[in-house]
Amino acid sequence: MSDHVYKKLELVGSSPESIEAAVQNALSRAGKTIRNTRWFEVVETRGYIENNKIDHWQVTIKVGFTLDS
Amino acid sequence: MSDHVYKKLELVGSSPESIEAAVQNALSRAGKTIRNTRWFEVVETRGYIENNKIDHWQVTIKVGFTLDS
Amino acid sequence: MSDHVYKKLELVGSSPESIEAAVQNALSRAGKTIRNTRWFEVVETRGYIENNKIDHWQVTIKVGFTLDS
Amino acid sequence: MSDHVYKKLELVGSSPESIEAAVQNALSRAGKTIRNTRWFEVVETRGYIENNKIDHWQVTIKVGFTLDS
Amino acid sequence: MSDHVYKKLELVGSSPESIEAAVQNALSRAGKTIRNTRWFEVVETRGYIENNKIDHWQVTIKVGFTLDS
Amino acid sequence: MSDHVYKKLELVGSSPESIEAAVQNALSRAGKTIRNTRWFEVVETRGYIENNKIDHWQVTIKVGFTLDS
Amino acid sequence: MSDHVYKKLELVGSSPESIEAAVQNALSRAGKTIRNTRWFEVVETRGYIENNKIDHWQVTIKVGFTLDS
Amino acid sequence: MSDHVYKKLELVGSSPESIEAAVQNALSRAGKTIRNTRWFEVVETRGYIENNKIDHWQVTIKVGFTLDS
Amino acid sequence: MSDHVYKKLELVGSSPESIEAAVQNALSRAGKTIRNTRWFEVVETRGYIENNKIDHWQVTIKVGFTLDS
Amino acid sequence: MSDHVYKKLELVGSSPESIEAAVQNALSRAGKTIRNTRWFEVVETRGYIENNKIDHWQVTIKVGFTLDS
Amino acid sequence: MSDHVYKKLELVGSSPESIEAAVQNALSRAGKTIRNTRWFEVVETRGYIENNKIDHWQVTIKVGFTLDS
Amino acid sequence: MSDHVYKKLELVGSSPESIEAAVQNALSRAGKTIRNTRWFEVVETRGYIENNKIDHWQVTIKVGFTLDS
């Protein structure tokens, strides 16, 4: 594993349910076009409000994936 | 929307259940006196421990709301 | 409480389920050898991916505990 | 001046024209309810895009003002 | 204590004597209008100079207080 | 809007005139290949000097755009 | 001195009097179990309030000490 | 260019007009005593207020210049 | 050079030998698909350990390259 | 005051007594060669230990002074 | 690997030769008392100077290791 | 050593070979005009690229030196 090169993308996922679901939604979308996603790092957590309720979470992540050599 | 002015308040909400519930508790309390809350940003996440269990979460957020013009 | 000295340890807990569970797992392990854990602060939140799904969360916390005087 | 106490508010101002105008718009709105605003610090600069053009700037500032003693 | 919501204000206190006195001056002023101040965090420490002497300290703090429920 | 996934790119735009123009130049170039750019965040502002004059501004931004689902 | 290895611990000391005394209290407690403490770095300064007075300071430090080789 | 050594100075420039003009004023003053200024980085942007209007901008920059070898 | 637009990518390179080699490995891989890479910035330096030896370095960089106009 | 240019120097002052005295010592030394020092900002606070006692404080400050025009 | 708990220690290693050797020296010393060190993160890089030459490097790392369950 | 005042300069050194050599080049140049340089801290590490190869490293350091009293 010491000879891999990885690329990191910054994505923002959303979900009305939870921080975890917002991250999973970003990963599911990323998986349509990127192979070999390996890890993510949460960069920012925020959300939007309607009538004093959390309407949806919006979580920014960096996703790391292996570049095919 | 380009002519709005927003104000941001810093609040700390608590919950024994989850990070999400701690944020919602802060927003519910804020809604008693502030109209037009729009979004929040999570600033810090911490918690208190009893007998090696998470007793309650304590989440600091900034809440943005529209100033009536 | 003004005469306490606390020590803070940095731990990384994991869980396939949620951020909250990853923190609890770290605290449960810490409780085997440390008495008097009092609070924690979330330092970093990340996770590992398998087949575009979150395989497990990995959360870094600082745990504060009272040093017996 | 060594015996003043100041309070700082966090505001977000907007303008389609420039960063400077977005700050001024926030200050003008603040001046309707706060006396004695003295200085500001730019905290964050961002903007919204329409058709690849900057639609409006959105600048977050902290505004310091003297508390009457 | 797990069901409290706190609000945090940013204040700047001054004193010719010490950092500690500058913080106390900000807290004393805050106490005229805010009930239930609980803790503070030092955010920035600076000062002004006259004839190569510290003329006064200027310390920025965040003050947390309980919102009555 | 709660089900969108966004991607963020980091770009550096330049202009001899102003910070605002440097950002617009980066956005105009990005618009040639990316659809649906929505917002930007200023990350770093710098510039180059010739004969003690600002020769050109160089502004780093993050640009967010909607990923087609 | 170029062949030493140091370890750094994070401690929180308290004092009703001053920032300096809070640091000294943490160092005194550390000295009961650690030999060869050499330097410290102040990481965070906060305090608790009673009746609008500073009740006690709480200062987080990192303490460096030589590991016996 | 790979064998140059640069020095960086921190300056604060002011202008009632704009952020750009405040930077240029700092550079013009620096040019009276420093040869070979090459680039600058904006470190902090703030301003002073009179009657709810921006009285003047105050921009902190780091200026890089070549040390003659 | 004042009219260029640059894009920055975040990459992670690895090497058992040195920080410098880990960066070069990332650049070599990037050069297979990107033209006109111009500069890089080291963002994070870490490594993996086997039997108390550094097994390989893992260095995160941002790579800037010219967008063809 | 809107047309001043300031320069900021980074200094480290020491004192066995207090943070305040360490800052004053740095300012006194600076005053031997620099005219018109105006303000300072505390950047870092650390100290050295002898026999579990604070031997001396070491405080890093930035000092701002007016450049004669 | 999803059920591990890790602990992170902060160490400072030194070497007259290179950053890499300073890190290895810290890891070698840590290996005398800690089993299962897994990874490290470079936190700070500094050095001491004698006669305008680098006398030795001093590198602060965080070392992660598995806690036996 | 408790009564010293130090000054810190920010320098950028370059080298085609390594991070260590870039730092040494900055120190060698500094030594031509500054006596008593004592330590340095690495602030930023970057480099320039030619044909997908590292052309030269460019390392920003802060250098501390004793002010003669």
Side-chain angles (χ1 to χ4, degrees), chain I:
Chain I
M1 195 160 144
S2 69
D3 54 353
H4 278 313
V5 174
Y6 304 94
K7 185 173 167 182
K8 289 165 76 172
L9 288 187
E10 195 160 357
L11 300 175
V12 186
S14 303
S15 164
E17 288 163 49
S18 68
I19 298 170
E20 285 86 349
V23 172
Q24 181 59 61
N25 286 348
L27 295 179
S28 297
R29 179 61 186 79
K32 290 185 182 178
T33 50
I34 307 169
R35 286 190 295 170
N36 297 320
T37 56
R38 297 290 295 271
W39 84 93
F40 62 89
E41 309 156 18
V42 174
V43 171
E44 192 183 50
T45 304
R46 46 197 297 160
Y48 288 88
I49 308 169
E50 291 291 337
N51 298 316
N52 301 320
K53 299 278 184 206
I54 301 168
D55 185 71
H56 62 275
W57 291 85
Q58 204 176 62
V59 184
T60 305
I61 57 173
K62 290 195 181 183
V63 184
F65 58 98
T66 321
L67 287 178
D68 299 329
S69 55

Side-chain angles (χ1 to χ4, degrees), chain F residues 2-69:
Chain F
S2 71
D3 54 354
H4 279 314
V5 174
Y6 304 94
K7 185 174 168 182
K8 288 165 77 172
L9 288 185
E10 195 161 356
L11 299 175
V12 185
S14 302
S15 163
E17 288 163 49
S18 67
I19 297 170
E20 285 85 349
V23 172
Q24 181 58 61
N25 286 348
L27 295 179
S28 297
R29 179 61 186 79
K32 291 185 182 178
T33 51
I34 306 169
R35 286 191 295 171
N36 297 321
T37 55
R38 299 289 297 269
W39 84 93
F40 62 90
E41 307 157 18
V42 174
V43 171
E44 192 183 50
T45 304
R46 46 196 298 159
Y48 288 87
I49 307 168
E50 290 291 338
N51 297 317
N52 302 320
K53 300 278 184 205
I54 301 168
D55 185 70
H56 61 275
W57 291 85
Q58 203 176 62
V59 183
T60 305
I61 57 173
K62 291 197 180 181
V63 184
F65 57 98
T66 320
L67 287 177
D68 300 329
S69 56

Side-chain angles (χ1 to χ4, degrees), chain H residues 2 4-6 8 62 68, chain L residues 10-12 14 25 29 56:
Chain H
S2 70
H4 279 313
V5 175
Y6 304 94
K8 289 164 78 171
K62 292 196 179 182
D68 300 331
Chain L
E10 195 162 356
L11 299 175
V12 186
S14 303
N25 286 348
R29 180 62 187 77
H56 62 276

Side-chain angles (χ1 to χ4, degrees), chain D residues 42-60:
Chain D
V42 175
V43 171
E44 190 183 52
T45 304
R46 47 194 298 159
Y48 288 88
I49 308 168
E50 291 291 337
N51 297 317
N52 301 320
K53 300 277 183 206
I54 301 168
D55 186 70
H56 63 276
W57 291 86
Q58 205 176 61
V59 183
T60 304

Side-chain angles (χ1 to χ4, degrees), chain B residues 1-10 39 41 62 67-69, chain D residues 9-16 25-26 29 32 55-56 58 60:
Chain B
M1 196 160 144
S2 71
D3 54 353
H4 279 314
V5 175
Y6 304 93
K7 185 174 169 182
K8 288 165 76 171
L9 288 186
E10 195 162 356
W39 84 93
E41 308 157 19
K62 292 196 179 182
L67 288 176
D68 300 330
S69 57
Chain D
L9 288 186
E10 195 161 356
L11 299 175
V12 185
S14 302
S15 162
N25 286 348
R29 178 62 186 79
K32 292 184 182 178
D55 186 70
H56 63 276
Q58 205 176 61
T60 304

Side-chain angles (χ1 to χ4, degrees), chain B residues 9-25:
Chain B
L9 288 186
E10 195 162 356
L11 299 175
V12 186
S14 302
S15 163
E17 288 163 50
S18 66
I19 298 170
E20 284 86 348
V23 172
Q24 181 58 61
N25 286 348

